[in-house]
Amino acid sequence: MNAESYAGYLGAMSEEPGVYLFKDVDGRVIYVGKAVSLKDRLRSYSPPGSIPKQGEIVAAAASVETIVTRSDLEAFMLEATLIQKHHPHFNVSWRDDKSYPFLEITLRDPFPRIYFSRRRARKGGKLYGPYAAGVARHLQRVINQYFRVPSCTVDLDGKQTPCLYHYLHWCDAPCAGKIDESAYAKLVGQVRMFLEGRTKELVAQLDREMGEASEHEDFELAGMLRDRVHAVGSLHEDQAVIAPDERHADVLGISRSGSYGCLVLLAVREGKLIGKQEFTVRRAHDVPDAELVSAFLEQHYAVATPPARILLPCELENRDLIERWLAGRREGGTELRSPRSGLNRELLDLAEANAKASLVSRGRVGVDEATEQLACATQVLELSRPPSRLEAVDLSHLHGEEAVGAVVVFREGLPSNREHRRYLIKTARGGDDYASMHEVVLRRLRRLKEEGTSLPDLMLLDGGAGQLKAATEACREAGVEVPLAALAKREELLYLPGRELPVTLPSDSPALHLLQRARDEAHRYVNAYQRRRRAMVLRDGAQSAKRAMKRVATAARPAAATGHP
């Protein structure tokens, strides 16, 4: 869109609040934005534009569409809905690589249940989380067992026969009418307190009820409440105390590397760190931190329940607007703060340190840092030159089946995804890691020789002395000399040729960080391939079984038609 045609659109714009959509020649939405005044906001996009990204949007757009709203809050909510619907190319899109699940309580039902969920809540349901998958499953079991709120799909109409869980005292059998709605609602209320982190309040309530039950000599109820208190207390004690004033907050830390950004959310409840989630974004090199954080708040808390306080790494222009929106998502509202000193600032620094560490673990570091790591590795590993081309090898199998290998390539300390290679183990027996390592390294080196490609300056193996010996033998058979090293998991011991004992590098060693990044990238790549192979085998097996059943059914039809047995 040129300046003249864009000026024509501006002449027809409204001064009211609303949402604007840039569309390409095919009518696809490429960007969605909100404004207190549509005309004033879109005027800032006039070519060439004050921000490079705005110029790119106008250049790629063929038309602009606006939707007038009654308030800026309504525009904010509509923008979030349209972004979720159209997934525009130029909008910031935070991605949760691990797909953290939620726990959902179906509050609309007369007898609510709790479900493990990876999607939006059902109508009338409320999501808690997100959690790591293992944590979510464990919390669900604790709630089933100690709070007696089920996760089944049986009709809770009071007309069913109680199942085994009722006789194990894991459920009060609302399906059979063994508990009324008011008593059940009390259990659900306690579950909500538990999931919202109001542990101290919940334990005080349970202690009062336990005392009352003891006074009335209802020792079975008192014992059940005692077990519930112990279950809540054991989970609470396992969490790390990082704030002495028992505050509730989500702490956001952000870090960047080129166009790649990472945001870490630390969940603090009653002064204890209960969880960490990582989110990533691409094409963010020219997007201010405030815009990245604002987009994250819109996307994340459209699903998750916000806490009473959110600590932000920067100030937001639309802070008041977001706080009003969050107030509709949580009873009592949510406060956004960007502290510059004190304990809250220390929590922000902790979140930022985690975000930086996440970038390093994902192989996302700056050029200067990568150069420092290469120089340190040259010295530590006693190489003749910096490992400008580093290749890392890893293996994966499922109980000896579907054994695969992978080689990932790092150039100048950064991953070169186009050069990564996968290998299906052909000759080594399943589960024989040494033979599999020998096969992958030998095939890799022979292929490089055939293609005339330069050999790696360092080949890193995932494993210990056994893998190093197997790779050394593969180099001899291939007729090449390649510097080798093996990095063992857990203890992070480094095995080098010619040394009987492994080397232990300091945890803050730049050389160790380089080797860990390469090893972790190989681990990620080979596991992705192994999962893909596993899915293919399961799919092929299901198709074969389906064809076999069809053949059996076809063969049985003539006999049935003629009456023969």
Side-chain angles (χ1 to χ4, degrees):
M1 185 186 303
N2 56 35
E4 184 179 349
S5 59
Y6 188 73
Y9 279 107
L10 281 179
M13 291 298 168
S14 170
E15 299 281 356
E16 300 296 320
V19 172
Y20 55 94
L21 301 87
F22 284 96
K23 298 183 177 181
D24 61 14
V25 291
D26 297 320
R28 290 190 298 265
V29 177
I30 60 173
Y31 186 76
V32 177
K34 60 183 176 301
V36 177
S37 170
L38 287 168
K39 193 165 190 174
D40 290 345
R41 178 61 176 160
L42 288 169
R43 189 178 290 117
S44 67
Y45 284 81
S46 297
S50 58
I51 301 176
K53 181 179 176 180
Q54 293 179 341
E56 293 178 21
I57 294 172
V58 174
S63 62
V64 184
E65 178 184 329
T66 61
I67 303 174
V68 175
T69 59
R70 292 170 293 185
S71 66
D72 54 350
L73 179 59
E74 191 173 295
F76 181 91
M77 298 171 67
L78 178 59
E79 179 201 34
T81 301
L82 293 175
I83 290 175
Q84 292 174 8
K85 177 180 179 181
H86 297 290
H87 301 288
H89 173 74
F90 286 101
N91 280 94
V92 173
S93 178
W94 285 100
R95 298 192 179 277
D96 175 5
D97 294 340
K98 295 184 179 179
S99 183
Y100 295 100
F102 294 82
L103 290 179
E104 177 189 358
I105 300 180
T106 58
L107 295 177
R108 192 179 184 183
D109 298 338
F111 293 97
R113 285 177 268 205
I114 185 160
Y115 292 116
F116 181 95
S117 176
R118 292 186 184 272
R119 58 178 178 79
R120 288 187 172 277
R122 298 166 178 82
K123 189 173 182 179
K126 187 173 182 63
L127 292 179
Y128 292 90
Y131 306 98
V135 173
R137 295 290 189 191
H138 180 62
L139 290 176
Q140 185 182 29
R141 285 194 297 271
V142 168
I143 292 168
N144 293 154
Q145 181 176 357
Y146 294 102
F147 292 88
R148 304 191 179 192
V149 174
S151 301
C152 63
T153 57
V154 177
D155 289 337
L156 305 184
D157 55 6
K159 302 177 182 179
Q160 311 298 322
T161 300
C163 67
L164 179 61
Y165 286 109
H166 173 63
Y167 298 103
L168 291 174
H169 304 291
W170 279 35
C171 179
D172 288 320
C175 61
K178 300 291 185 180
I179 184 173
D180 58 37
E181 288 189 26
S182 60
Y184 191 88
K186 188 175 182 180
L187 293 176
V188 173
Q190 292 178 353
V191 170
R192 295 185 65 180
M193 293 167 63
F194 174 58
L195 294 177
E196 290 169 5
R198 293 150 57 193
T199 308
K200 189 174 182 180
E201 180 183 350
L202 173 59
V203 170
Q205 178 181 320
L206 293 175
D207 284 338
R208 286 196 303 271
E209 293 181 8
M210 186 165 53
E212 293 172 0
S214 298
E215 289 178 3
H216 292 86
E217 298 185 357
D218 190 347
F219 300 116
E220 182 177 355
L221 176 59
M224 181 194 68
L225 293 170
R226 177 205 60 207
D227 293 342
R228 192 174 300 170
V229 170
H230 287 169
V232 173
S234 63
L235 288 173
H236 190 62
E237 289 171 2
D238 290 340
Q239 296 157 357
V241 177
I242 62 173
D245 59 353
E246 299 186 350
R247 67 190 66 198
H248 284 50
D250 280 355
V251 187
L252 309 185
I254 192 168
S255 183
R256 297 167 175 265
S257 178
S259 64
Y260 195 88
C262 177
L263 184 145
V264 165
L265 185 153
L266 300 180
V268 180
R269 301 294 182 268
E270 293 191 337
K272 295 192 176 186
L273 179 62
I274 68 169
K276 182 190 82 168
Q277 292 121 40
E278 297 176 2
F279 304 85
T280 58
V281 65
R282 300 178 186 273
R283 301 190 305 275
H285 56 281
D286 58 352
V287 182
D289 282 356
E291 185 175 339
L292 291 177
V293 173
S294 178
F296 174 80
L297 294 174
E298 295 177 40
Q299 295 169 27
H300 182 69
Y301 294 109
V303 179
T305 302
R309 182 184 302 168
I310 301 175
L311 303 184
L312 307 178
C314 58
E315 293 287 351
L316 304 183
E317 293 182 4
N318 57 346
R319 171 181 162 182
D320 293 340
L321 178 62
I322 295 179
E323 283 185 339
R324 279 188 284 148
W325 173 68
L326 291 173
R329 300 281 305 149
R330 179 186 181 275
E331 297 177 6
T334 296
E335 178 188 10
L336 302 179
R337 295 184 60 186
S338 301
R340 297 184 179 180
S341 61
L343 177 60
N344 287 334
R345 182 66 248 181
E346 293 177 12
L347 294 177
L348 281 174
D349 292 340
L350 178 62
E352 183 180 346
N354 276 273
K356 290 180 178 178
S358 177
L359 285 179
V360 171
S361 68
R362 295 168 186 268
R364 302 286 179 173
V365 297
V367 175
D368 293 340
E369 190 173 356
T371 302
E372 179 188 2
Q373 292 178 357
L374 290 172
C376 184
T378 306
Q379 182 180 2
V380 169
L381 302 177
E382 299 178 355
L383 302 174
S384 59
R385 58 184 179 183
S388 300
R389 180 186 176 92
L390 186 157
E391 297 191 0
V393 187
D394 197 4
L395 309 169
S396 180
H397 61 83
L398 182 65
H399 303 297
E401 301 295 329
E402 296 301 319
V404 296
V407 175
V408 301
V409 179
F410 274 51
R411 286 191 177 273
E412 303 300 336
L414 301 174
S416 178
N417 296 337
R418 292 184 300 175
E419 299 183 85
H420 293 357
R421 295 294 181 267
R422 299 185 294 251
Y423 294 86
L424 183 62
I425 304 300
K426 297 179 180 179
T427 59
R429 292 182 302 168
D432 189 340
D433 287 347
Y434 301 152
S436 298
M437 182 64 73
H438 177 275
E439 177 184 336
V440 171
V441 173
L442 181 60
R443 288 167 60 184
R444 175 63 174 173
L445 294 177
R446 283 177 173 172
R447 172 57 66 90
L448 293 177
K449 283 184 63 176
E450 292 172 2
E451 295 177 347
T453 305
S454 59
L455 297 173
D457 300 313
L458 175 66
M459 183 168 276
L460 178 68
L461 318 169
D462 179 44
Q467 284 79 2
L468 182 62
K469 182 178 179 180
T472 302
E473 179 64 22
C475 289
R476 188 190 64 78
E477 290 185 28
V480 299
E481 291 186 8
V482 175
L484 299 173
L487 185 62
K489 292 187 180 72
R490 295 184 183 176
E491 298 87 359
E492 302 291 27
L493 299 177
L494 183 64
Y495 293 83
L496 300 172
R499 297 193 184 185
E500 293 184 4
L501 299 177
V503 177
T504 302
L505 298 179
S507 60
D508 59 351
S509 167
L512 178 61
H513 294 165
L514 172 65
L515 300 180
Q516 287 174 329
R517 288 196 295 114
R519 188 268 314 277
D520 293 345
E521 173 68 7
H523 188 66
R524 179 199 65 79
Y525 194 66
V526 75
N527 282 343
Y529 181 44
Q530 215 277 331
R531 286 193 296 269
R532 180 179 169 188
R533 291 284 311 173
R534 212 158 56 217
M536 291 171 59
V537 170
L538 292 174
R539 182 191 63 197
D540 293 344
Q543 291 177 347
S544 298
K546 188 175 181 180
R547 287 194 295 267
M549 292 176 65
K550 188 174 181 179
R551 287 196 298 269
V552 170
T554 302
R557 282 196 200 106
T562 56
H564 295 296

